[in-house]
Amino acid sequence: MNQQTYYLSPKQIVTPAGIMKNRHLLIENGLISEITDKPQENIPRHNIADSTLAPGFLDLHIHGREGCDVMDASRESLDVISRSLARHGIVGFLATTVTDTWPKTLAAFKNIGEAYSGSLSGAELLGAYNEGLFFTKDHKGAHDEQYFLPLDKSYIDAIITASNGALKVVALAPELPNSDEIIRYLSSKNIKSMLGHTAANYEQTCSALHAGACGGVHVFNGMSGIHHRDPGCAGAVLLDNNAYVEVIADGIHLHPAILDMIVRLKGQAKIGLISDCIVAGGMHDGQYKLGMLDVTVKQGIARTKSGSLAGSTLTLEKAVKNMFELTQADLMQVIEMVTLSPATFLGLDKELGSIAIGKRACLTAFDPHFNVTMTIVDGRIVYSA
């Protein structure tokens, strides 16, 4: 179905004004046109009476799925990832790189740049996220330190050029030389800096945030944690009111009590649930690659040979379910963490992130068990259970 006119008739609709029951949402020309209790009889209607209709989920940190990786540097791989994400309620994503050789890195960004201006068959490609290269070995996680590079403007410029306008986020370790200068440079290019895979202390992190860094990469994971005499990188991004934190809510990366602490400290507007999913997402347990490193997946948990967690096999509807069940956040708050919060972070909140008249019809429907029943991108049904 393309961008035609139709109603969606769910059990309830999550809107900025609250959860509306017994309403019908009209989609016209790819936009949200009306929310009404009296639908016109002559317009087709999709009855999804068991489902909650929410704004479309956004995954701003995802490496791959179903045997395909962003580092494959192929349009086909991005399309497989896009279709796979649509089955899990994702309407938009940032294709995220990992530390690899410099030529492979540039090839991956070039591929993202070429796909960015075209349409994929499922979730929309919202841009590129550079996770890798500019880290330190102390909290390297699933990044191969032999390919780390100095935080130099020439490398940044090469990535910007290769991605052809698609680069939205660069992750970096703030203790690296020139970090504050590079953060300011990225800000001048309208590119977000996120802090991660770092041994930076509280003061170094605060300096980077003051320079314009936006927050923490998968908070607590791959960074100095909170000690009572050194609040660390985690403490700095959690206590800074403006800092945005990525959260992997798979029940493995973070203890439920820590998830609840993050909610209490940050509030839903500064939390972005991410999958950090790798090539093994949607696949059986076994041996996989993440960049140049071998990864073993057992019971859905991905680890390197050294035992470090290597991304995840998480899907965002499961992250939503976990946050709803494991923390004090209510449904509207948790939904905001995968919709309006990431949309605002990317500066796309005028068109995405909430259900409102005139916004793009990018929507996710899910049943009472948080299973996705329908995903819609610009009025086009890209997945229906």
Side-chain angles (χ1 to χ4, degrees):
M1 173 176 291
N2 288 318
Q3 295 178 359
Q4 60 192 63
T5 300
Y6 61 94
Y7 283 105
L8 290 171
S9 301
K11 178 182 179 181
Q12 57 187 13
I13 303 175
V14 180
T15 77
I19 294 178
M20 296 184 174
K21 296 182 183 292
N22 303 314
R23 296 291 197 278
H24 310 267
L25 185 141
L26 179 62
I27 293 174
E28 290 185 287
N29 299 317
L31 301 176
I32 297 167
S33 179
E34 181 185 41
I35 301 173
T36 181
D37 58 357
K38 295 178 180 177
Q40 299 175 51
E41 293 295 333
N42 62 328
I43 295 177
R45 192 188 315 176
H46 290 278
N47 186 6
I48 46 173
D50 290 335
S51 294
T52 294
L53 186 64
F57 298 171
L58 303 172
D59 192 347
L60 302 194
H61 187 143
I62 162 102
H63 297 280
R65 277 196 65 79
E66 296 192 22
C68 290
D69 195 303
V70 170
M71 299 306 295
D72 294 340
S74 88
R75 174 65 177 252
E76 292 73 23
S77 286
L78 288 179
D79 209 55
V80 169
I81 294 166
S82 167
R83 289 196 303 273
S84 181
L85 289 174
R87 291 193 288 276
H88 297 281
I90 308 301
V91 301
F93 69 105
L94 290 184
T96 307
T97 60
V98 70
T99 301
D100 209 318
T101 67
W102 182 237
K104 284 189 69 176
T105 297
L106 290 182
F109 280 113
K110 184 173 184 291
N111 182 59
I112 296 167
E114 290 169 353
Y116 180 55
S117 55
S119 58
L120 299 178
S121 54
E124 179 186 1
L125 179 61
L126 297 174
Y129 183 134
N130 180 88
E131 189 194 14
L133 304 177
F134 310 119
F135 295 149
T136 53
K137 65 180 181 179
D138 300 315
H139 289 276
K140 64 184 179 182
H143 292 267
D144 192 332
E145 66 185 271
Q146 68 176 310
Y147 299 106
F148 286 170
L149 295 173
L151 196 48
D152 187 274
K153 188 169 166 285
S154 63
Y155 290 120
I156 299 293
D157 283 340
I159 291 171
I160 292 172
T161 300
S163 65
N164 194 30
L167 185 64
K168 305 300 177 185
V169 180
V170 171
L172 57 89
E175 69 270 36
L176 289 172
N178 306 321
S179 64
D180 286 3
E181 177 190 343
I182 293 297
I183 288 166
R184 284 189 285 268
Y185 180 67
L186 288 165
S187 295
S188 75
K189 300 286 188 180
N190 202 28
I191 297 167
K192 309 278 188 187
S193 302
M194 291 289 281
L195 310 176
H197 293 285
T198 171
N201 61 24
Y202 180 81
E203 288 75 20
Q204 288 170 314
T205 308
C206 287
S207 176
L209 292 168
H210 183 72
C214 296
V217 180
H218 39 56
V219 67
F220 280 106
N221 296 112
M223 63 176 61
S224 51
I226 297 174
H227 183 274
H228 57 283
R229 284 191 291 274
D230 180 6
C233 181
V237 296
L238 288 170
L239 290 171
D240 186 300
N241 290 333
N242 295 316
Y244 180 87
V245 295
E246 300 173 357
V247 171
I248 307 174
D250 60 356
I252 300 156
H253 281 76
L254 298 167
H255 189 280
I258 295 296
L259 290 175
D260 202 45
M261 183 184 82
I262 295 168
V263 170
R264 295 191 204 188
L265 282 170
K266 299 305 294 183
Q268 68 271 19
K270 290 297 181 181
I271 294 172
L273 298 185
I274 60 165
S275 71
D276 197 18
C277 187
I278 65 169
V279 63
M283 306 285 282
H284 296 296
D285 285 359
Q287 300 297 124
Y288 297 92
K289 282 278 190 182
L290 180 59
M292 302 298 285
L293 294 180
D294 293 315
V295 172
T296 300
V297 177
K298 288 184 180 178
Q299 296 181 307
I301 303 170
R303 294 186 184 274
T304 63
K305 286 181 179 177
S306 67
S308 290
L309 287 167
S312 83
T313 59
L314 180 67
T315 55
L316 275 198
E317 82 276 25
K318 290 179 181 174
V320 168
K321 182 177 190 283
N322 288 339
M323 288 298 281
F324 181 68
E325 294 179 348
L326 299 176
T327 76
Q328 295 181 9
D330 62 29
L331 181 62
M332 283 191 63
Q333 290 172 320
V334 175
I335 292 299
E336 186 172 331
M337 298 173 197
V338 287
T339 58
L340 188 58
S341 173
T344 302
F345 176 79
L346 281 185
L348 297 175
D349 49 304
K350 295 286 190 286
E351 52 185 289
L352 295 172
S354 59
I355 293 178
I357 307 305
K359 281 198 168 186
R360 291 169 60 187
C362 294
L363 306 159
T364 300
F366 55 89
D367 70 16
H369 304 289
F370 293 93
N371 300 306
V372 173
T373 56
M374 187 175 283
T375 307
I376 298 166
V377 176
D378 290 330
R380 182 172 59 97
I381 298 173
V382 295
Y383 172 73
S384 183

